[in-house]
């Protein structure tokens, strides 16, 4: 995780101590500093009053999956308080600061009760949450009692109802795929390889591939992703249409906002594309990160 320590001038030595321990960038506080950092780091540690940090971030908030974690450290270096993204790096950062004598103040309900949240389980296992909207219900159930973890070994097809969190192998990138009816595995693999080269990323770094559920019966898709040892995720129409693609798409004829771009955006951690929709023969690829 990339971390920036934002510090008021009068507390600069404290900020230096924290930045050194976290191996983080040290950034002097200035107007709009939170806006400058908001989309470029995973965790912001703010050495200042909570009010300054909260007001600086308030207008930037989107959702917990795309906002950076924000940890306020009191100027006396007594407490580290995750105010945003506790389950998304904030709590972990605060606990690391305990190593230099700063007490973490954790408020997320699952952790205060000593129970692993969906997000914490994913982090410990090196996995990613596919259906993020499920976590509210599942974490609530975890507070009420034991929630079983069911591991499914390949080859299997998993159909998850609402209220079931699906975790798959983590991946810094997501490839969204659209294809014509009957497209072969060879065509899809060639398109994926070309797209990764265009984006300048190693194909081995991609473990999550996404498309519309309307492509569920495309044998070539299943075969191609299986050969890459990847996870192929089929997204419902509501999830696809909740995204705002960058490029117009003929998928409107199918009642969809698009296929490759919205599917990549739906699962991308930062909600951004590093490769807009690109056509390779009968295959369309977009890459999110």
């Amino acid at each position: 995780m990339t971390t920036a320590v934002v510090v008021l001038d009068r507390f600069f030595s404290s900020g230096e101590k924290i930045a050194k321990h976290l191996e983080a960038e040290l950034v002097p506080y200035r107007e709009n500093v939170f806006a400058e950092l908001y989309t470029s780091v995973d965790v912001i540690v703010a050495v200042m009053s909570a009010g300054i940090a909260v007001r600086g971030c308030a207008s930037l908030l989107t959702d917990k999956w795309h906002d950076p974690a924000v940890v306020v450290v009191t100027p006396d270096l007594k407490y580290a308080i995750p105010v945003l993204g506790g389950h998304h790096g904030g709590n972990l950062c605060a606990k690391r600061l305990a190593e230099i004598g700063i007490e973490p103040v954790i408020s997320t309900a699952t952790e205060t009760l000593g129970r692993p949240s969906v997000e914490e389980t994913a982090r410990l296992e090196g996995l990613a949450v596919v259906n993020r909207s499920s976590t509210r219900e599942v974490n609530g159930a975890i507070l009420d009692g034991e929630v079983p973890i069911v591991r499914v070994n390949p080859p299997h097809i998993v159909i998850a109802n609402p209220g079931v969190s699906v975790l798959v192998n983590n991946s810094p990138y997501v490839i969204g795929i659209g294809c014509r009816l009957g497209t072969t595995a060879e065509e899809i693999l060639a398109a994926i390889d070309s797209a990764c080269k265009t984006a300048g990323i190693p194909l081995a770094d991609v473990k999550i591939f996404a498309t519309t559920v309307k492509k569920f019966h495309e044998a070539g898709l299943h075969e191609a992703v299986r050969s890459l040892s990847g996870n192929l995720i089929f997204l419902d129409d509501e999830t696809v249409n909740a995204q705002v693609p960058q490029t117009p798409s003929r998928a409107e004829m199918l009642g969809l906002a698009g296929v490759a771009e919205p599917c990549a955006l739906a699962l991308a951690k930062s909600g951004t594309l590093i490769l807009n929709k690109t056509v390779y023969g009968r295959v369309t690829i977009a890459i999110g990160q």
Side-chain angles (χ1 to χ4, degrees):
M1 283 191 171
T2 56
T3 303
V5 178
V6 179
V7 59
L8 294 173
D9 287 344
R10 66 186 61 189
F11 309 127
F12 201 79
S13 61
S14 297
E16 284 184 313
K17 180 179 180 180
I18 292 170
K20 181 179 180 181
H21 179 69
L22 296 177
E23 299 181 336
E25 178 186 4
L26 183 62
V27 182
Y29 176 79
R30 56 184 176 271
E31 187 177 2
N32 296 323
V33 67
F34 291 104
E36 294 169 15
L37 295 171
Y38 212 73
T39 59
S40 61
V41 299
D42 298 310
V43 182
I44 299 173
V45 177
V47 187
M48 59 191 67
S49 70
I52 297 173
V54 170
R55 283 191 295 271
C57 295
S59 64
L60 307 170
L61 295 175
T62 56
D63 62 66
K64 69 178 184 177
W65 298 99
H66 298 118
D67 295 330
V70 178
V71 179
V72 170
V73 175
T74 55
D76 57 4
L77 296 189
K78 282 190 176 180
Y79 302 108
I81 310 159
V83 294
L84 288 176
H87 283 154
H88 299 266
N91 291 348
L92 181 63
C93 178
K95 290 175 181 178
R96 284 189 63 191
L97 291 175
E99 297 166 2
I100 55 173
I102 304 174
E103 183 177 351
V105 180
I106 307 299
S107 63
T108 48
T110 49
E111 291 213 19
T112 58
L113 294 176
R115 297 177 180 176
S117 64
V118 175
E119 296 92 333
E120 181 67 6
T121 298
R123 185 187 69 81
L124 291 173
E125 297 286 343
L127 305 173
V129 183
V130 172
N131 52 339
R132 298 165 180 170
S133 61
S134 69
T135 59
R136 182 187 297 270
E137 182 175 346
V138 177
N139 283 336
I142 289 171
L143 295 176
D144 296 330
E146 295 296 323
V147 173
I149 297 176
V150 179
R151 295 183 182 272
V152 180
N153 293 319
H156 273 87
I157 295 172
V158 175
I159 300 175
N161 293 323
V164 177
S165 291
V166 178
L167 311 184
V168 299
N169 293 334
N170 204 359
S171 173
Y173 306 105
V174 178
I175 289 184
I177 307 175
C179 65
R180 299 285 182 88
L181 181 67
T183 304
T184 66
E186 290 74 20
E187 291 175 279
I188 293 168
L189 288 170
I192 290 171
D193 184 65
S194 296
C196 287
K197 289 176 179 175
T198 300
I201 64 171
L203 175 54
D205 284 354
V206 185
K207 296 299 179 185
I208 301 176
F209 301 82
T211 190
T212 167
V213 71
K214 297 180 187 299
K215 295 294 179 182
F216 182 79
H217 297 292
E218 290 293 332
L221 266 174
H222 289 273
E223 183 182 344
V225 174
R226 184 167 57 249
S227 72
L228 296 172
S229 299
N231 297 111
L232 179 57
I233 310 299
F234 294 92
L235 302 177
D236 59 35
D237 293 2
E238 182 180 359
T239 301
V240 172
N241 288 333
Q243 311 306 313
V244 181
Q246 305 295 310
T247 311
S249 173
R250 294 178 63 189
E252 292 178 352
M253 295 184 294
L254 300 175
L256 298 176
V259 177
E261 285 189 354
C263 287
L265 287 168
L267 301 184
K269 291 180 181 178
S270 68
T272 59
L273 298 175
I274 60 170
L275 180 70
N276 286 1
K277 182 182 77 172
T278 305
V279 179
Y280 301 92
R282 297 200 296 167
V283 183
T284 303
I285 300 289
I287 304 179
Q289 68 175 0

